[in-house]
Amino acid sequence: MIWRIALLLLVAWALGFAFFLMSLGKPLDNRKTDAIVVLTGGSGRIDRGLAVLGKGDAKRMLVSGVDPDVRPVELAVQFKIDRRLMACCIDLGWQAVDTRSNADETAKWVQRHGYKSVRLVTTDWHMPRARMELANAIGGDVEVIGDGVRSGANSPGWGVLLREYHKYLVRRIALWTHAG
């Protein structure tokens, strides 16, 4: 009996991992949203957000999880952002230090601006958990649309994917049980 339960748990875990791999974020094209939120921590994320903002597919962008020592002018110089675009349409969030606090910071920003749709830009392997956290923090009134930045040459290894899957599982269970 114990072997059957263990086998059932193993099969459930493996199927869950397969579904997790299928839910990795993919680039989103030709979709307008009210706003963009970019989670810092991976290459290509800010560039992707700026490209979408530049195309006019959103009104405003939040870069969440910015190091407290980074000033707007430094970010503008590093990413070659026009001063007017930086002043009108890009906000920096300095409070977030992890995915959960990114979601909390973004939820406050979305509520303050009254947005109804948000494009979430993060690395493909990070998308399932980041989207789940953001959707939970924002609530059901705002549509969260994932725009995954491909890992590219830096494709995550199995270790990264398994670690992220386990983080996802822990947070999913915590949210289901209202434990956090």
Side-chain angles (χ1 to χ4, degrees):
M1 183 64 151
I2 292 174
W3 284 105
R4 287 182 181 164
I5 293 171
L7 183 60
L8 180 64
L9 289 173
L10 180 62
V11 168
W13 177 90
L15 287 173
F17 186 59
F19 283 116
F20 173 81
L21 292 176
M22 290 187 305
S23 71
L24 296 181
K26 293 172 182 48
L28 179 68
D29 290 320
N30 301 321
R31 175 74 190 264
K32 293 195 181 291
T33 57
D34 292 337
I36 305 163
V37 60
V38 176
L39 306 185
T40 59
S43 65
R45 296 177 185 188
I46 294 174
D47 291 322
R48 175 64 180 165
L50 289 170
V52 171
L53 188 64
K55 281 178 38 183
D57 286 347
K59 303 170 195 168
R60 193 169 193 89
M61 182 171 89
L62 169 68
V63 182
S64 177
V66 176
D67 186 293
D69 294 331
V70 173
R71 297 290 149 236
V73 68
E74 295 168 330
L75 188 84
V77 168
Q78 180 178 350
F79 289 95
K80 299 173 181 69
I81 304 169
D82 180 84
R83 184 172 16 137
R84 291 173 303 219
L85 181 65
M86 191 75 193
C88 83
C89 307
I90 300 173
D91 298 315
L92 304 183
W94 290 282
Q95 283 76 43
V97 294
D98 59 15
T99 305
R100 279 179 76 182
S101 56
N102 283 132
D104 293 338
E105 181 173 69
T106 301
K108 291 174 188 165
W109 181 79
V110 167
Q111 183 179 31
R112 185 170 53 250
H113 290 282
Y115 296 135
K116 295 296 179 196
S117 61
V118 176
R119 177 190 296 252
L120 173 63
V121 177
T122 191
T123 308
D124 51 9
W125 55 265
H126 186 238
M127 185 62 72
R129 185 167 57 96
R131 189 169 180 213
M132 175 184 65
E133 293 285 6
L134 184 54
N136 180 67
I138 289 178
D141 294 340
V142 177
E143 182 181 21
V144 177
I145 302 157
D147 188 353
V149 175
R150 293 192 193 272
S151 304
N154 300 333
S155 292
W158 288 107
V160 169
L161 291 170
L162 287 168
R163 191 170 32 257
E164 187 63 22
Y165 175 58
H166 290 136
K167 287 180 182 181
Y168 174 85
L169 284 177
V170 167
R171 285 301 298 150
R172 171 61 69 197
I173 291 167
L175 292 173
W176 277 339
T177 61
H178 303 290

